[in-house]
Amino acid sequence: MNTISILVLFPLLASIAVFLVRKDAVRNIIVRVCAFTTGILTLFVVCRYFKDGISLSFANRNTIDMIIAFVEVLIAAYIILIGIKNKKYIVSIFAAVQTTLILWFEFTQKHGIDVQSDIVFDRLSAVMVLIVGCIGSLILIYTVGYMKWYHVHHEEYKERKSFFFSEIFLFLFAMFGLVLSNNLLWMYFCWELTSLCSYLLIGYTKTPEAVNNSFRALAINLGGGLAFASAIVFIGMNFKTLELSVLTVLKPELMVLIPVFLLCIAALTKSAQMPFSSWLLGAMVAPTPSSALLHSATMVKAGVYLLIRLAPLLAGTSVGKVITLLGAVTFFVNSIIAISKSDAKKILAYSTISNLGLIVACAGIGSQESLWAAILLLIFHSISKSLLFLTAGSVEHQIGSRNVEDMDILMQVSRRLSGYMIVGIAGMFLAPFGMLISKWVAMKAFIDSNNILTVIILGYGSATTLFYWTKWMGKLVSNANRKDHIKHTFHIDEEIPIFIHAVLVVLSCFTFPLISEYVLVPYLSGLFGPGVSMPLGISDVNIMLIMLSMLLILPISFIPIYKSDRRRIVPVYMAGENTGDNESFYGALHAKRKVKLHNWYMESFFGVKKLAFWSNVLSIVIILVGVLLLIGGITK
Amino acid sequence: MMLVIYIIAVIVLAPLVGGLLTGIDRVITARMQGRKGPSVLQPFYDVLKLFQKESIEVNTMHRFFVYISLIFVIFTTVIMLLGGDILLAFFALTLGSIFFVLGGYASNSPYSTVGSERELLQMMAFEPMILLTAIGLYYGDKSFFIKDIIAARVPSIVYLPGVFLGLIYILTFKLRKSPFDLSMSHHGHQEIVQGITTEYSGKDLAIIQITHWYETIIALTLVYLFFAFNSPVSHLIAILACIIAYLLEIVIDNAFARVKWQHALKSTWVITGVLASVNLIILSFFR
C-alpha cells in the first residue's frame, strides 16, 4: 500500500476508533495520538513525494468505485430521511437527484472511459495536504483542550464529544481525498462527504438555530454538489474522460466552459461566495474548533482549490471574467459588513468570505501572477484564520464573551493570549505579513491583466478591511483596567497549538520567498512553461523582510529605554472630571458615571442590511450574465 | 557607502524641510488672519522645548506606539526618496499610521479613543485614493519604482489629471488640515480636545511633531511625482508644483470649517470614485 493511501485512510480509521471510545480520558489520548500521527504522516508524504510528485493508478478501481457508489447511496438515503423528518424537502430533493444522476452515469455511461491516474500529487496538492494535515491536526489537539471546558460552560447542550472528534477526523479524510483525487468521481464523493460533515458539525448543539443553520449549509452545498454531478456527467459524455488533469489542458471553448462553469458554481457554494455565503455565517453556532476547521483548513478551501485547478481554463474567458467580478464584489461587500459586527466570530466569518473572494478573483484571472497570489493567499489565510479562531475560542473561555467590545480587558486577563490574537490579526492585513504580500501581487496581477474595475474595488476593499481589523486590534491594546473580571488560567493544551500557529504565521512570512521558489514557481512553470518567476522584485522582498524583523526586534529593544526612563503616571484626561480611577467621571449633579468606550460600527452609514440584500441580488445577476454569455456562445 | 550617506541625508534633511514648511505655514496662516505670526523657526523651538518638559503618561504602554510609528514613517520616507517601490512605501506608511492609531487606543482615554476612531475613519477614506495614485503612476512606465516613474518620457500629470486632482483632495487629510482634521488638530480648539494626542506630553508629543514633518514630505513627494520626468527642468517645475499645492492647502485650511465624519468619508470616496476611477478606466482602454 502506498503512503498516500495510508495518509488518506488513516483519518478514516481514527474517526471510527474515536467514535467507538466513550471514555473521555482514553479518547483524549487516542485523539492526540491520531492527530499527531496524521501530522507526521502528512510531513512524511510531503517530504517523500515533494520533489518529483507522483500519480497513482489503482488496479482495483472498479471495486473502489463500487464501494464509493454504495456509500453514496447510504449517504443519500440518510440525507433524504433527515430532510423529510425535519421538513426540509429541498435537501432530500437535491440528494435524490444528484445521486440518481451519478448512479445512472456510473452504470450506463461510464463503460469505455479510461482513467489514467486516480490520484495526482503535485506541488499544489502538497500545499493543500500540508494545510489540511498540519492545521487540521493542530486544531484537533486544541479541540481536546477546548472540549474539556466547553460542556462545563454550556451545560444546556447534550455531550456528544466522541461524535464531534469522529466528525473532525472524517472531515480530514474527505479533505485529503478531495485534494489528492484526480478522478472526478472520487473527488465528487469527497466533495459530498465534506458537505455532510459540515452539516453534522454545525448541528452539534442540536438547538433549533443550529439545526436550522446546518440544514441551510447542507442545502446550499448539495446545490453545489448537484452542479458538480452535472458537470461530471457532461464531461464524461462529451469528452470521454473523468480526469481533472485532462480537463484542465483542453482548449477553453464553449463545450468545455459549460462544465467548467458548473464546477465553478460548485466551488463558489463551497467557498461561501455571494450569493451562497449565508451558510458559512450560520456555521458559527457550532463549537469554535469546528469553525476554525471550516474556515481555515477544510471546506471553504476546497472550493478555491478547485478554482485554482480550473484556472487555466478561466484565463481570458467569459466565465473567468464573471468569476473575477463575483469574487471582487464579495471581497468588498463583506469587508464593509464586517465593520458593522462586534461578535468576534462573525467578524472572522465575514473576513473569511471577503478574503476568499479575493482568491476567487485571482483564480478567475488565471494568469501566472494571479495564481501565485491566489495560492499564497490560501496558505496565509489558512494559518492566520485558524489562529484567530482558536484564540477567539480561548478568549471566550477566559472572559466569558466573544464580543470585541469586551476584549479591552484581555491584556489584563492574559497578556499572552492577546499577544497571539494580535499576531493573528496582523497576519490578516498588515504590511510585512503574508496576506498583504499576496494582496499586493494580486493587485499587480489585476493591473497587468487590465482588470481596472477589479483593481478599484480592491482599493476600496483594502481600506474597509483595514478599518475593521485595526479597531479590533485597538480594543486588544487598550489595556482597560476593570476590576470586576474573574481570573482564569489559560490552559496549556489550548496554548500549545495556538503558540505553534503564531510561530507559523511569522515563519511563513519569513519564508515566503522559499515557498515561492520551491512550490509556486515549479507549479506555475508546469502550467505556463518555463520563465515563471516571483512577481516581486528581490529588493522589495528584502525590504519586507527588514520590516518584519523590525517588528520583531523593536518591542524588545524598548525594554532598556523603559528601564532608564521611568515616568510619572497620571489619570487620563476627562475634562477635569475624572474621579481618579480612570473608570468613571463626575457627571451632572456630581453623580459618578462609568466611562464606556465603544468602537464605531457605522451600520446606518453603510446601510448594511440593504447592502447585503442588493449585493446578493447583484451577484445573482452576475451569475445569470455568465449563464447568458454561455447560452449565447460567447467564450471570450 | 553612498547609500548610507543618502539614507542619513534623507533622515536628517526631511524633517528640517518639513519643519520649515510648517513654520512658513504658520506665518502665512497668521497673515491671512491679520496677525503677525511667529518666527519661521518656531516649530523647531516648540519641539526643542517639548523635549525639555517633563513627560507624563497615563500608562506605560502608549508611548511605545508613537516611537514605532515614527520609525516606520522614517522608513517610508527613505524608501520614497531613494526611489523605491511606491506601493511598498505606502504599506510601510500604513503600518506607521496604524501604530499611531493604536497608540491612541492604548491610552484608553475617552478623547484619544474618539481621536483614534476618527483617524482610522480618515485612513479608510483616503486609502483607496492613495492606492489608485500608485496604480495610476504604474501605468506610465510599468514600474512601481519611483526612480523609474520620475525618469519617464512624459510627466504623469499628462495622462493622470483626474488622479492628481483626487490626490490634492486627500492631501488635506495627509497634512492634517481643515476641513479634514477630525482626529487631531494643530489648533487647540477642537471638540475632542487634542484628539488622538490628548494623553501625550513632553518628548512623546515632540516625536509626534517630528513624525508629522516627515509625513508632510511624503505627501509632497507624491505631488512631485506627477510633474517630474526625464528632463532636468521638470524637477524645478515639480518643486514649484509642490509649493503651490502646499499654499493651496493652507488656503483651504483657513477657508473651510471642519466637516462631519460622514461628509469626509462620503465625499472622499465619491471624489476617488469619480476622478481617479474614471481616469484609470479611460487609461485602461488605451492600452
Side-chain angles (χ1 to χ4, degrees):
Chain A
M1 210 171 178
N2 188 285
T3 347
I4 290 187
S5 315
I6 298 175
L7 174 70
V8 175
L9 291 178
F10 180 77
L12 184 63
L13 292 178
S15 165
I16 298 167
V18 169
F19 188 70
L20 295 175
V21 178
R22 299 278 149 167
K23 225 172 144 98
D24 260 9
V26 183
R27 189 183 50 231
N28 285 349
I29 293 170
I30 298 181
V31 171
R32 283 198 185 115
V33 170
C34 288
F36 191 70
T37 320
T38 311
I40 296 293
L41 266 174
T42 305
L43 292 178
F44 180 74
V45 166
V46 170
C47 289
R48 169 130 186 239
Y49 298 112
F50 183 76
K51 193 148 170 287
D52 304 316
I54 188 172
S55 50
L56 299 177
S57 173
F58 289 81
N60 48 358
R61 182 179 308 120
N62 282 332
T63 327
I64 300 175
D65 278 352
M66 283 305 117
I67 297 173
I68 286 179
F70 179 68
V71 178
E72 260 168 20
V73 171
L74 283 185
I75 293 176
Y78 173 70
I79 292 176
I80 291 169
L81 275 182
I82 52 165
I84 292 171
K85 200 174 138 204
N86 290 285
K87 299 203 175 58
K88 309 275 181 188
Y89 301 112
I90 183 84
V91 181
S92 312
I93 295 170
F94 274 147
V97 173
Q98 58 190 298
T99 312
T100 321
L101 193 64
I102 283 292
L103 289 180
W104 170 77
F105 176 76
E106 181 103 34
F107 290 105
T108 64
Q109 306 291 323
K110 211 185 79 173
H111 297 294
I113 296 179
D114 190 36
V115 175
Q116 295 292 331
S117 40
D118 297 294
I119 281 185
V120 166
F121 183 92
D122 60 2
R123 306 267 162 131
L124 182 58
S125 335
V127 168
M128 292 303 293
V129 165
L130 269 180
I131 289 175
V132 176
C134 296
I135 306 282
S137 49
L138 281 174
I139 293 175
L140 265 166
I141 292 172
Y142 174 85
T143 314
V144 174
Y146 181 87
M147 290 312 270
K148 259 188 213 163
W149 301 97
Y150 185 74
H151 286 284
V152 176
H153 290 285
H154 301 273
E155 285 174 346
E156 65 274 26
Y157 306 137
K158 190 166 166 263
E159 202 249 71
R160 298 192 291 157
K161 281 191 219 166
S162 49
F163 172 79
F164 192 72
F165 285 113
S166 147
E167 283 316 314
I168 296 182
F169 275 114
L170 191 63
F171 217 136
L172 293 187
F173 159 70
M175 274 311 286
F176 278 135
L178 202 156
V179 299
L180 287 167
S181 297
N182 187 44
N183 184 333
L184 282 170
L185 277 175
W186 295 13
M187 195 176 186
Y188 165 77
F189 169 68
C190 297
W191 191 270
E192 294 298 273
L193 206 53
T194 57
S195 301
L196 179 72
C197 289
S198 65
Y199 158 78
L200 294 170
L201 283 176
I202 297 168
Y204 176 76
T205 58
K206 284 193 169 169
T207 58
E209 192 195 5
V211 172
N212 219 356
N213 290 350
S214 62
F215 270 104
R216 191 190 308 153
L218 190 60
I220 291 176
N221 280 303
L222 286 181
L226 186 58
F228 202 123
S230 323
I232 292 182
V233 173
F234 194 99
I235 295 164
M237 292 175 68
N238 285 302
F239 304 107
K240 296 286 166 222
T241 181
L242 277 175
E243 285 174 88
L244 190 60
S245 56
V246 175
L247 177 70
T248 51
V249 292
L250 292 173
K251 248 175 86 94
E253 52 196 26
L254 186 62
M255 286 307 269
V256 180
L257 284 181
I258 292 172
V260 166
F261 189 65
L262 286 170
L263 287 176
C264 286
I265 297 291
L268 293 176
T269 56
K270 193 124 290 198
S271 286
Q273 293 298 289
M274 281 189 161
F276 311 113
S277 58
S278 62
W279 74 263
L280 190 64
L281 303 167
M284 42 170 262
V285 293
T288 307
S290 65
S291 306
L293 203 66
L294 291 177
H295 285 260
S296 62
T298 63
M299 203 62 184
V300 296
K301 292 295 185 299
V304 286
Y305 163 75
L306 182 61
L307 280 177
I308 291 173
R309 282 275 182 219
L310 293 173
L313 295 174
L314 298 176
T317 63
S318 53
V319 177
K321 289 194 179 97
V322 166
I323 299 294
T324 302
L325 193 57
L326 202 65
V329 169
T330 306
F331 170 65
F332 181 41
V333 172
N334 285 287
S335 65
I336 290 183
I337 300 178
I339 293 178
S340 69
K341 303 293 171 200
S342 63
D343 182 327
K345 274 175 90 174
K346 272 213 170 116
I347 299 175
L348 292 178
Y350 279 107
S351 101
T352 302
I353 300 173
S354 165
N355 282 312
L356 288 173
L358 197 56
I359 306 180
V360 168
C362 287
I365 301 272
S367 69
Q368 41 169 296
E369 264 179 334
S370 75
L371 286 184
W372 191 93
I375 300 172
L376 213 59
L377 273 170
L378 196 153
I379 299 171
F380 289 130
H381 181 260
S382 298
I383 307 172
S384 298
K385 200 34 90 46
S386 180
L387 170 62
L388 278 172
F389 266 107
L390 298 191
T391 46
S394 291
V395 167
E396 199 180 350
H397 278 173
Q398 298 287 312
I399 62 176
S401 158
R402 57 179 194 223
N403 192 325
V404 171
E405 293 295 329
D406 297 329
M407 288 185 193
D408 52 357
I409 54 166
L410 191 61
M411 232 7 146
Q412 301 289 325
V413 178
S414 170
R415 231 164 238 278
R416 288 204 306 280
L417 188 54
S418 56
Y420 297 136
M421 203 167 217
I422 289 172
V423 171
I425 295 178
M428 290 304 292
F429 81 108
L430 263 189
F433 289 95
M435 289 296 280
L436 191 115
I437 299 169
S438 5
K439 210 184 266 178
W440 177 7
V441 175
M443 194 182 282
K444 243 177 111 176
F446 293 148
I447 307 169
D448 289 339
S449 59
N450 219 5
N451 264 293
I452 196 71
L453 189 62
T454 320
V455 178
I456 293 166
I457 298 177
L458 187 62
Y460 280 93
S462 308
T464 43
T465 307
L466 173 131
F467 190 86
Y468 70 82
W469 285 127
T470 313
K471 70 180 184 167
W472 183 347
M473 234 181 190
K475 276 287 165 198
L476 290 177
V477 299
S478 73
N479 211 4
N481 193 5
R482 270 186 263 132
K483 287 142 200 127
D484 53 358
H485 68 82
I486 319 143
K487 204 107 177 137
H488 289 270
T489 40
F490 179 24
H491 293 284
I492 190 84
D493 39 2
E494 293 179 25
E495 183 165 5
I496 290 175
I498 288 180
F499 174 74
I500 299 176
H501 266 99
V503 171
L504 280 178
V505 168
V506 177
L507 205 64
S508 61
C509 298
F510 268 116
T511 53
F512 89 89
L514 295 178
I515 299 177
S516 167
E517 170 96 28
Y518 293 105
V519 182
L520 304 176
V521 170
Y523 173 70
L524 295 173
S525 309
L527 289 181
F528 296 95
V532 178
S533 62
M534 182 156 69
L536 291 177
I538 200 74
S539 62
D540 282 350
V541 172
N542 288 341
I543 293 178
M544 276 290 187
L545 296 182
I546 292 172
M547 275 166 79
L548 197 59
S549 323
M550 275 160 71
L551 276 185
L552 290 180
I553 295 164
L554 283 174
I556 302 164
S557 62
F558 267 79
I559 295 171
I561 298 179
Y562 271 85
K563 285 238 166 84
S564 64
D565 185 16
R566 287 190 194 281
R567 297 176 181 181
R568 191 152 59 90
I569 304 245
V570 295
V572 300
Y573 180 74
M574 291 186 196
E577 300 295 337
N578 194 334
T579 59
D581 59 359
N582 288 346
E583 283 188 67
S584 47
F585 63 97
Y586 294 114
L589 298 172
H590 214 65
K592 268 196 184 182
R593 289 175 185 238
K594 278 262 173 211
V595 175
K596 282 198 181 122
L597 299 175
H598 282 287
N599 268 334
W600 288 14
Y601 293 94
M602 303 194 280
E603 201 161 345
S604 53
F605 180 76
F606 285 115
V608 168
K609 283 218 173 79
K610 265 193 200 157
L611 182 75
F613 174 75
W614 285 111
S615 52
N616 272 321
V617 172
L618 176 66
S619 44
I620 292 171
V621 169
I622 294 175
I623 290 184
L624 287 180
V625 168
V627 174
L628 285 178
L629 285 175
L630 284 183
I631 291 174
I634 300 166
T635 57
K636 284 287 157 197
Chain B
M1 193 56 216
M2 277 306 278
L3 188 68
V4 176
I5 295 171
Y6 272 132
I7 292 176
I8 292 170
V10 167
I11 294 176
V12 174
L13 289 179
L16 290 182
V17 178
L20 210 58
L21 280 171
T22 317
I24 295 169
D25 175 5
R26 285 176 68 170
V27 173
I28 294 175
T29 302
R31 295 290 152 85
M32 286 171 78
Q33 296 166 349
R35 297 184 282 119
K36 185 168 175 297
S39 121
V40 179
L41 295 179
Q42 191 60 38
F44 298 106
Y45 300 145
D46 287 351
V47 163
L48 287 177
K49 189 175 171 193
L50 280 174
F51 269 115
Q52 288 156 7
K53 290 228 166 193
E54 184 201 359
S55 311
I56 51 174
E57 55 189 11
V58 294
N59 63 44
T60 49
M61 282 290 288
H62 70 309
R63 74 168 121 141
F64 166 75
F65 294 97
V66 172
Y67 290 88
I68 304 274
S69 173
L70 172 68
I71 290 170
F72 279 104
V73 169
I74 293 177
F75 197 75
T76 312
T77 319
V78 171
I79 295 177
M80 286 186 87
L81 295 188
L82 290 184
D85 191 313
I86 189 165
L87 267 182
L88 185 59
F90 285 157
F91 295 146
L93 183 62
T94 309
L95 186 62
S97 311
I98 282 177
F99 272 108
F100 186 50
V101 171
L102 291 181
Y105 277 107
S107 61
N108 202 34
S109 133
Y111 294 105
S112 314
T113 308
V114 176
S116 281
E117 297 282 351
R118 288 185 176 189
E119 175 76 14
L120 208 48
L121 182 104
Q122 289 180 188
M123 285 172 71
M124 179 162 71
F126 67 68
E127 201 80 349
M129 188 60 231
I130 290 270
L131 282 173
L132 293 185
T133 304
I135 285 154
L137 292 170
Y138 177 77
Y139 265 93
D141 232 29
K142 288 276 158 282
S143 167
F144 280 113
F145 281 86
I146 287 176
K147 60 175 185 282
D148 298 333
I149 293 169
I150 57 171
R153 268 177 292 133
V154 208
S156 310
I157 183 77
V158 174
Y159 52 92
L160 294 174
V163 174
F164 180 71
L165 289 178
L167 178 72
I168 291 293
Y169 194 81
I170 62 135
L171 217 54
T172 321
F173 286 104
K174 280 266 150 211
L175 296 173
R176 302 192 181 286
K177 298 280 189 205
S178 203
F180 299 137
D181 52 350
L182 299 145
S183 69
M184 57 178 263
S185 169
H186 290 303
H187 320 293
H189 54 66
Q190 196 171 11
E191 70 277 19
I192 53 169
V193 197
Q194 275 286 316
I196 206 165
T197 55
T198 305
E199 302 296 350
Y200 291 108
S201 59
K203 277 182 214 141
D204 308 336
L205 205 53
I207 294 291
I208 292 174
Q209 282 300 325
I210 295 172
T211 312
H212 181 65
W213 294 346
Y214 279 105
E215 279 179 322
T216 308
I217 296 297
I218 293 172
L220 291 179
T221 310
L222 290 179
V223 176
Y224 187 89
L225 292 181
F226 277 84
F227 293 92
F229 63 112
N230 65 358
S231 123
V233 189
S234 73
H235 291 267
L236 281 177
I237 299 173
I239 290 173
L240 200 66
C242 291
I243 295 172
I244 293 171
Y246 196 69
L247 291 176
L248 182 69
E249 291 296 334
I250 296 174
V251 174
I252 292 172
D253 186 30
N254 285 293
F256 288 92
R258 186 174 304 124
V259 294
K260 286 185 174 174
W261 66 263
Q262 288 93 336
H263 184 73
L265 179 58
K266 206 179 280 175
S267 68
T268 315
W269 272 21
V270 169
I271 293 271
T272 310
V274 175
L275 289 175
S277 306
V278 172
N279 193 163
L280 289 179
I281 288 170
I282 292 173
L283 256 188
S284 74
F285 272 112
F286 285 105
R287 296 213 330 172

